[in-house]
Amino acid sequence: MKLNCKLLLSAVFALSIVFIGTDVQAQHKHKHPHAKKEIVKHKKAHAAQKVAHKNSLGQSVKVIKRTNHVIANANRAVKKYKNYTGDLSRAVHHQQHAKRLLKRHKTHRSMQHSRLARKYAFKSIRSNKGTVNKEYQFDAEENKTMGETIADAELEKELKEKNPNIKFDDSAISDKEMTELEVLDVDPADYKNN
């Protein structure tokens, strides 16, 4: 009988510790205060990342718009002097690819293709007796925005992989293609080309 009493007392004591322990834990306001700090830290980092991405998108659009002006000038020069070097076509195709990359939020790569497009547009302008507007040269701010430069050969290779049947013919550049380069709030199909 003494053995049964000891076992019974031990069982009651063990159960009371379990109940008291869980009750104390339930009364504790912050189970893991460091976990809350981690969540706050993660939320702040995520918010900062969103802001940086939004800024990057804005900077990419700015680079693309500046390149569009240069390509438009190159197109006018090619139409006037008809020296078809293929550089205007290269500029247009790289700019189209840059715009597609921008839609997929690949901002760095997008800016790099736009950089190369502008370079080809400059060559096209010079080949057609035009002068390059110094306002559209790459400035320090734009170079900083674009970050690390990707080799031109790598960008060329990527463009050809994405468009295996591409032909660089300046005489084949249409007004529709020129209109589609614009970064618009509406779909290019809805934009009337007069």
Side-chain angles (χ1 to χ4, degrees), residues 60 94 97-98 101 106-120 138 142-159 161:
S60 296
H94 276 284
H97 192 62
L101 288 169
K106 297 189 181 225
T107 55
H108 181 255
R109 206 119 188 126
S110 172
M111 285 188 278
Q112 291 299 313
H113 276 279
S114 189
R115 173 192 60 79
L116 188 55
R118 195 180 313 175
K119 198 171 164 182
Y120 280 125
F138 298 103
E142 209 168 31
N143 286 329
K144 182 181 174 189
T145 298
M146 283 192 263
E148 186 179 329
T149 303
I150 299 171
D152 295 351
E154 185 180 332
L155 296 171
E156 287 285 344
K157 183 180 175 186
E158 180 183 318
L159 179 67
E161 284 174 359

Side-chain angles (χ1 to χ4, degrees), residues 15 32 40 65 81 85 104 110 123 149 152 157-158 183 191:
L15 285 174
H32 301 287
V40 170
K65 283 184 176 184
Y81 292 102
T85 60
R104 293 193 334 239
S110 172
K123 286 174 73 175
T149 303
D152 295 351
K157 183 180 175 186
E158 180 183 318
V183 181
Y191 186 77

Side-chain angles (χ1 to χ4, degrees), residues 53-146:
H53 181 68
K54 191 173 185 178
N55 289 343
S56 183
L57 279 173
Q59 292 166 340
S60 296
V61 168
K62 185 178 175 183
V63 168
I64 287 174
K65 283 184 176 184
R66 284 173 50 90
T67 300
N68 283 343
H69 289 289
V70 179
I71 293 172
N73 290 339
N75 188 39
R76 283 191 290 278
V78 167
K79 281 184 176 181
K80 184 175 181 181
Y81 292 102
K82 301 195 184 326
N83 185 11
Y84 303 123
T85 60
D87 291 329
L88 173 63
S89 179
R90 279 184 173 81
V92 168
H93 288 295
H94 276 284
Q95 189 71 344
Q96 287 171 337
H97 192 62
K99 194 173 169 188
R100 284 189 296 269
L101 288 169
L102 182 64
K103 285 181 182 177
R104 293 193 334 239
H105 298 267
K106 297 189 181 225
T107 55
H108 181 255
R109 206 119 188 126
S110 172
M111 285 188 278
Q112 291 299 313
H113 276 279
S114 189
R115 173 192 60 79
L116 188 55
R118 195 180 313 175
K119 198 171 164 182
Y120 280 125
F122 286 154
K123 286 174 73 175
S124 181
I125 290 169
R126 289 185 190 106
S127 298
N128 284 281
K129 303 176 185 176
T131 55
V132 174
N133 187 341
K134 290 180 181 175
E135 180 182 332
Y136 295 112
Q137 293 285 353
F138 298 103
D139 57 14
E141 179 187 343
E142 209 168 31
N143 286 329
K144 182 181 174 189
T145 298
M146 283 192 263

